[in-house]
Amino acid sequence: MIMRGRGAESALVHRLLDDARAGMSGVLVLRGDAGIGKTALLEDAVASASGMRVTRVAGIEAEQELGFAAVHRVLLPFLGARADLPGPQRAALETAFGMVGGTAPDRFLVGLAVLTLLAESARERPLLIVCDDAQWLDRESLDVLAFVGRRLHADGIVALFALRDDAVAPPTLSGLPELRLGRLPESDALALLRDHVDGGIDQVVAERIIAEASGNPLALLELAQGPHIAEAGFGEPPPLGRRLEARFLQQVQAMPSLTRTVLLVAAADATGDRRLVRQAVRHRLGVGDEDVAEAFEQAEREELLTARPASGTSAFRHPLIRSAVYGGASRAERRSVHAALAAVTDAHAEPERHAWHAAAAAGGPDEQVAAELQGCAERARKAGGYLAQAAFLQRAAELTGDPVLSAARLLEACAAALMAGAPYRAEELLSRLATPGPAIPLLGAHADRLRGLARLMLGKDGAVRLLLDAALVLSEHDPGAGRDTLLEAVDAAMVVSRTGPGSGALQVAGAALTAITCRPGAGVGTYDSVPDLLLDGHARLVAVGHRQAVPSLRAALAAMRLPGAEESGAVRWSLLGMIAAVELWDIDALGECARRYADAARGHGALRMLQISAHANATSEVFRGNLALAEAHFAEFKDIADATGADPRFSHPTDVMLHAWRGDETATLSAVAAQRELYPELPGGIQVQLARAALVVLGLGGRRYAQAQAAAQVVLEDPPPHCAGLSLPGLVEAAVRNDDPDVAVRALRLLTERATASGTPWALGLLARSRALLAPDSSAEGFFQEAAAHLAPTPLVTERAHTDLLHGEWLRRKRRRHDARTLLRRAHEQFTSMGAVAFAERARLELRATGEHARKRAAGTEHDLTPQESRVARMAAGGATNQEIATDLFISAGTVEYHLGKVFRKLGVSSRRQLAASLPQG
């Protein structure tokens, strides 16, 4: 194949193929206008993939709503090996493909199954995956394939995606390596034109064609076959896509009636199945097989269709031809061919395609078809195809004559779109909803709830107000739905930067308490479900105070730690539970819930739950002083966020506390700046509080007490509803060092209220330490000793070392140098061991002031292992197999082998048995 003007692009693709033959992997997204050469580059890759296996799929507009349809086509050659998949992966894949019944699988567990199948195949023979017109793949398939693309590393696989520039870029492909195809240079355009025009071409005409085509190869070739360019009009030309479609339509309209019908049926059918198209044409026109075969041959001679005899399918030479054929037909013609396709499609074997064609054939309300579509929606939900569920329900709503039932189906479609992570789609569906009358207030409340959730996902104003209004109505009619909506409003009020007047955290909390007290048997401790307890606890935390909130929050955490709780409905509210643990300074509950819920998430492939648990695990390890493990958990958190297509602006700065404890000023300030850009208003949500607490830690470690006080003092002046407690002990310390007793006393008063209400060793240790800083000399040491006694049995190495440092500093100022050295030496060793460089330096300087010199040294590393290598090494040292490590880390077994090879070289070991002794303990 000769491609003009694409030498650099082709060379890049060929390098990826060569790397795959050497065992590595690569991903590339090709972007460009319709006809710019993306498909030609893909065909060149296929032709160059000698020694490789190829699997390919092309997106089809009509199939966009059929969940997992495209990835099913990609996997067809490999499904025979699914018996070798780990049990949860196999179950998820078979459920997604409708092979077995079961609960909806997590989309990313399906992705892991796909990754495992493809990677195992590539062990035998390198693999090329080609996805053309990716903008038209169904969302579920695109999510899965993008997930696979992000996890490829050392698997011998190349994945190529082609994407039209005029399409909305699928967010799941963002962040993958991208190559944009531009227009051909004039010299290459002329060479291409001469390659395809028999007998030469006049130079003037060639120049006009090249100018008109604007460097688009397909336009060049099509215009060269058309009427003389000089005969064209002088008006402004329509967009190139429309021009090409018009030209293709002109060519189609010149065909005989039967050929046009064959083309229209093929355009309406997403399968490309020639047998099915022939049956539909015969059903519609009553013609014989020979006539239909002749029509196919004519379409192929005119290069409108391309036959693929090996698979018994046909494909349009270019997507614009398909668009021209289908768009150029009248509505009546389109309904007629869809009716023919519905008639010849087996409703039992392919119920979704049958229902879709039947719906497209309907000319008005049809409850029988609508009910069939609703059945398809339910099957899509069970398979985890939420966007397919939304599409079926939307179409069902359009064919429903009863306005109340139609609205209910549309709301259900919107909820499915939100489950799919498609808030723009949800808003578009809500815009179709007629204003519900006063007789059906619940429909309006459900609509407000969905609208609020969509706004929350999009970061728009008004989310909390909508959720609160919806909750007030729902609580009167459906207490369960009202409670869940109030919890969603609590969650929203925690994270959004602007809640709007009358809809802040205090208003939400007040509404929640009113709803709780109106329920039968209301009262603290009367509910035994996690959602009830969390709602009561968080509402009291904001509206009343910590002392009144503690019983419910403590009971909620206890319920979350019961055997099997991580497999129950408590999972949905795990974030609120983790925040409750931080509010109560309960390190045991935080650590246990984070570990257990992470393990459950891995078992189910539930990446969003795993993401929450990974962050909680990281936060827990920061407080425990295991900063290397915290880094690994934060890396996992970001990895999952990237794999799920989350916006990195929100996910990547969340490790700000880790940077602060390490004393990395540049990284800390960069993360804080990113948070301030996203959340510019005070008091801000929990991410703002984490950033503020990080600034306090950074300032204290670097002995910049004014900076620390300035960062923390906002919690007194404009108290945030959550996570202010993280900054209070640091504010007391900074204000004392700045000789600002008024602020120190105010901060201690607030800390006393919260810590005594909590009563955990962590809380009481921080309180005693803070009291020591303000106490007279006669009682200060007693408070320091009380703090050490509270913290000694806990795993909180950071707090124990910090307490030793403050106590040692106090002893040095009291000229008790011998006693001070013991504590300062221990603090210095602990801070150095954990990698808290700034605090270690502060301890070293204090120790030097006592007359003892400690060696200034940087924290050690795990032999320069990356976070991913460290995770792989620790799991391997613990006895996990490659497949178990791959399953837990959402990578392939081949990538595990690759990482282990690098780990062995870096650590200088030759077997797994030697790993445990070579890794730092923690």
Side-chain angles (χ1 to χ4, degrees):
M1 176 186 295
I2 299 176
M3 289 194 302
R4 298 290 185 177
R6 299 292 183 218
E9 294 90 341
S10 179
L12 174 58
V13 173
H14 287 191
R15 282 198 299 274
L16 292 178
L17 298 178
D18 289 340
D19 289 344
R21 295 185 186 101
M24 300 305 291
S25 297
V27 184
L28 190 61
V29 178
L30 305 173
R31 294 208 56 157
D33 295 332
I36 202 67
K38 303 182 298 297
T39 300
L41 200 55
L42 294 180
E43 294 295 341
D44 177 64
V46 171
S48 304
S50 58
M52 300 179 69
R53 195 170 186 176
V54 178
T55 183
R56 59 196 301 177
V57 67
I60 299 171
E61 283 181 282
E63 204 172 76
Q64 273 185 291
E65 314 295 355
L66 300 181
F68 299 110
V71 76
H72 182 264
R73 282 188 276 154
V74 168
L75 272 198
L76 273 176
F78 313 100
L79 284 178
R82 68 183 185 280
D84 297 328
L85 288 171
Q89 294 182 32
R90 178 179 178 180
L93 189 70
E94 291 180 342
T95 304
F97 289 169
M99 297 175 173
V100 298
T103 57
D106 186 276
R107 191 175 310 165
F108 300 103
L109 186 56
V110 177
L112 184 56
V114 174
L115 173 63
T116 304
L117 275 180
L118 296 176
E120 286 303 308
S121 171
R123 281 173 174 265
E124 301 174 2
R125 189 178 174 193
L127 176 65
L128 171 63
I129 305 168
V130 174
C131 299
D132 203 356
D133 285 316
Q135 74 278 355
W136 289 333
L137 295 182
D138 63 275
R139 171 66 181 274
E140 288 80 6
S141 291
L142 193 59
D143 283 351
V144 165
L145 293 171
F147 171 85
V148 169
R150 287 188 172 88
R151 316 308 293 178
L152 294 175
H153 191 70
D155 308 286
I157 297 175
V158 174
L160 302 178
F161 298 87
L163 189 67
R164 273 173 58 168
D165 248 352
D166 58 356
V168 177
T172 47
L173 293 181
S174 61
L176 291 175
E178 186 173 291
L179 176 65
R180 186 174 299 276
L181 301 187
R183 61 178 61 185
L184 290 181
E186 285 192 14
S187 58
D188 291 305
L190 180 59
L192 177 65
L193 195 58
R194 287 175 172 163
D195 287 342
H196 289 79
V197 177
D198 294 332
I201 186 170
D202 181 83
Q203 182 67 27
V204 174
V205 173
E207 289 174 357
R208 293 291 301 274
I209 292 176
I210 290 170
E212 181 73 4
S214 301
N216 185 292
L218 180 64
L220 276 169
L221 302 182
E222 292 301 325
L223 290 171
Q225 303 301 318
H228 200 282
I229 194 71
E231 298 173 6
F234 294 99
E236 184 178 344
L240 187 58
R242 285 173 52 198
R243 274 183 282 163
L244 289 175
E245 283 192 1
R247 173 161 172 71
F248 289 137
L249 182 59
Q250 184 180 27
Q251 185 180 0
V252 169
Q253 289 173 338
M255 298 289 104
S257 174
L258 180 56
T259 305
R260 292 200 306 272
T261 301
V262 165
L263 290 168
L264 181 55
V265 174
D269 167 56
T271 67
D273 187 337
R274 292 170 69 92
R275 180 189 58 82
L276 185 69
V277 172
R278 286 199 302 269
Q279 288 178 337
V281 173
R282 290 201 308 269
H283 182 275
R284 183 177 183 235
L285 300 179
V287 294
D289 281 342
E290 291 184 2
D291 294 330
V292 177
E294 172 57 32
F296 264 111
E297 289 175 7
Q298 183 174 22
E300 290 162 8
R301 285 195 303 270
E302 296 294 328
E303 296 185 340
L304 297 171
L305 283 180
T306 301
R308 294 174 179 170
S311 60
T313 61
S314 293
F316 283 89
R317 177 169 60 84
H318 194 277
L320 289 177
I321 302 176
R322 184 192 193 104
S323 301
V325 170
Y326 194 78
S330 67
R331 287 187 179 181
E333 289 173 324
R334 290 198 293 264
R335 283 201 302 270
S336 176
V337 297
H338 280 294
L341 284 165
V344 299
T345 299
D346 189 334
H348 297 288
E350 296 187 281
E352 287 76 18
R353 294 192 193 281
H354 178 273
W356 200 255
H357 287 309
D366 188 326
E367 184 54 35
Q368 181 178 345
V369 176
E372 188 179 349
L373 288 164
Q374 186 156 15
C376 294
E378 179 61 16
R379 285 190 294 275
R381 183 191 66 78
K382 290 179 178 178
Y386 295 111
L387 274 180
Q389 179 192 6
F392 284 123
L393 285 168
Q394 177 190 346
R395 194 70 184 101
E398 293 168 354
L399 296 180
T400 302
D402 181 350
V404 175
L405 180 56
S406 176
R409 284 170 169 164
L410 202 55
L411 288 176
E412 194 178 349
C414 175
L418 290 176
M419 282 293 294
Y424 287 110
R425 175 81 167 118
E427 286 198 324
E428 191 271 331
L429 288 168
L430 284 168
S431 69
R432 298 169 178 264
L433 188 69
T435 303
I440 47 173
L442 279 181
L443 284 179
H446 282 298
D448 281 345
R449 178 186 185 182
L450 296 170
R451 194 171 285 112
L453 291 174
R455 285 177 174 243
L456 180 63
M457 293 174 70
L458 293 169
K460 292 183 177 181
D461 295 345
V464 179
R465 178 78 263 171
L466 285 165
L467 290 168
L468 181 55
D469 289 344
L472 295 176
V473 176
L474 291 172
S475 295
E476 297 178 12
H477 303 274
D478 185 345
R483 178 204 63 195
D484 288 353
T485 309
L486 281 168
L487 275 167
E488 290 162 352
V490 169
D491 195 341
M494 284 184 185
V495 299
V496 300
S497 57
R498 298 182 297 276
T499 59
S503 59
L506 188 61
Q507 287 76 20
V508 173
L513 291 176
T514 300
I516 290 169
T517 55
C518 291
R519 292 177 63 174
V524 177
T526 59
Y527 304 115
D528 58 3
S529 76
V530 171
D532 285 324
L533 291 166
L534 285 173
L535 180 61
D536 184 81
H538 279 289
R540 292 177 185 277
L541 188 69
V542 173
V544 185
H546 273 65
R547 186 171 301 280
Q548 293 82 357
V550 163
S552 290
L553 292 179
R554 185 177 290 141
L557 288 173
M560 290 180 68
R561 297 168 74 180
L562 289 173
E566 65 272 21
E567 303 289 345
S568 70
V571 166
R572 181 179 176 189
W573 311 111
S574 57
L575 175 60
L576 293 175
M578 307 293 184
I579 293 172
V582 174
E583 290 292 334
L584 298 185
W585 287 290
D586 191 336
I587 189 64
D588 293 331
L590 177 63
E592 182 183 342
C593 287
R595 288 190 299 273
R596 281 176 50 185
Y597 282 71
D599 289 343
R602 287 191 183 95
H604 293 291
L607 286 200
R608 290 184 178 87
M609 188 175 93
L610 180 58
Q611 192 176 356
I612 292 171
S613 300
H615 199 285
N617 265 319
T619 303
S620 174
E621 296 300 343
V622 166
F623 293 131
R624 293 166 187 261
N626 297 325
L627 301 189
L629 288 179
E631 181 183 30
H633 286 302
F634 275 126
E636 182 179 32
F637 170 84
K638 296 179 187 179
D639 212 16
I640 298 166
D642 292 342
T644 56
D647 189 336
R649 295 179 305 156
F650 291 90
S651 59
H652 283 219
T654 57
D655 58 357
V656 61
M657 284 289 283
L658 172 65
H659 297 311
W661 271 107
R662 282 182 163 167
D664 188 334
E665 183 173 7
T666 300
T668 303
L669 295 181
S670 175
V672 169
Q675 296 286 12
R676 284 177 173 167
E677 182 179 349
L678 293 170
Y679 306 102
E681 296 190 12
L682 297 176
I686 55 176
Q687 297 294 355
V688 174
Q689 305 317 315
L690 286 176
R692 182 169 292 129
L695 283 177
V696 176
V697 170
L698 184 70
L700 294 178
R703 299 181 299 163
R704 293 189 292 271
Y705 301 113
Q707 171 188 310
Q709 180 175 342
Q713 195 162 328
V714 179
V715 302
L716 297 180
E717 298 162 355
D718 192 0
H722 289 88
C723 295
L726 292 174
S727 299
L728 287 173
L731 179 56
V732 174
E733 179 182 346
V736 168
R737 293 285 187 261
N738 288 328
D739 196 23
D740 191 344
D742 290 341
V743 169
V745 169
R746 288 171 58 201
L748 180 62
R749 187 181 305 123
L750 188 55
L751 177 61
T752 302
E753 173 195 332
R754 298 184 177 202
T756 54
S758 170
T760 63
W762 187 3
L764 297 177
L766 294 178
L767 177 59
R769 189 177 79 197
S770 299
R771 283 173 169 167
L773 295 174
L774 281 166
D777 290 348
S778 59
S779 55
E781 186 161 23
F783 282 126
F784 277 126
Q785 291 170 343
E786 179 186 343
H790 281 303
L791 294 171
T794 74
L796 297 160
V797 178
T798 49
E799 302 294 9
R800 297 205 306 263
H802 198 170
T803 301
D804 283 345
L805 173 62
L806 290 173
H807 191 185
E809 289 175 337
W810 182 85
L811 287 169
R812 185 188 69 78
R813 286 169 176 76
K814 301 308 168 190
R815 301 184 182 279
R816 294 168 55 184
R817 294 186 177 184
H818 177 75
D819 294 334
R821 286 173 189 151
T822 300
L823 292 175
L824 291 172
R825 189 184 307 118
R826 187 167 65 194
H828 179 261
E829 291 171 353
Q830 289 177 314
F831 284 131
T832 301
S833 177
M834 74 177 73
V837 176
F839 275 97
E841 176 66 2
R842 176 175 159 183
R844 188 187 71 84
L845 293 174
E846 285 288 337
L847 193 57
R848 187 176 68 179
T850 69
E852 179 174 318
H853 290 273
R855 183 166 58 92
K856 183 177 181 180
R857 57 191 176 96
T861 67
E862 291 192 359
H863 303 267
D864 297 321
L865 298 184
T866 67
Q868 185 79 310
E869 290 166 357
S870 178
R871 281 186 282 171
V872 169
R874 289 184 178 278
M875 293 185 70
T881 66
N882 283 6
Q883 186 56 63
E884 288 168 343
I885 298 171
T887 299
D888 276 3
L889 300 187
F890 293 90
I891 55 180
S892 70
T895 297
V896 172
E897 289 180 8
Y898 175 80
H899 285 315
L900 276 176
K902 295 182 70 177
V903 167
F904 286 174
R905 288 193 296 274
K906 288 182 178 182
L907 299 185
V909 301
S910 58
S911 72
R912 292 174 182 244
R913 290 191 301 273
Q914 298 171 304
L915 279 176
S918 302
L919 293 169
Q921 301 303 305

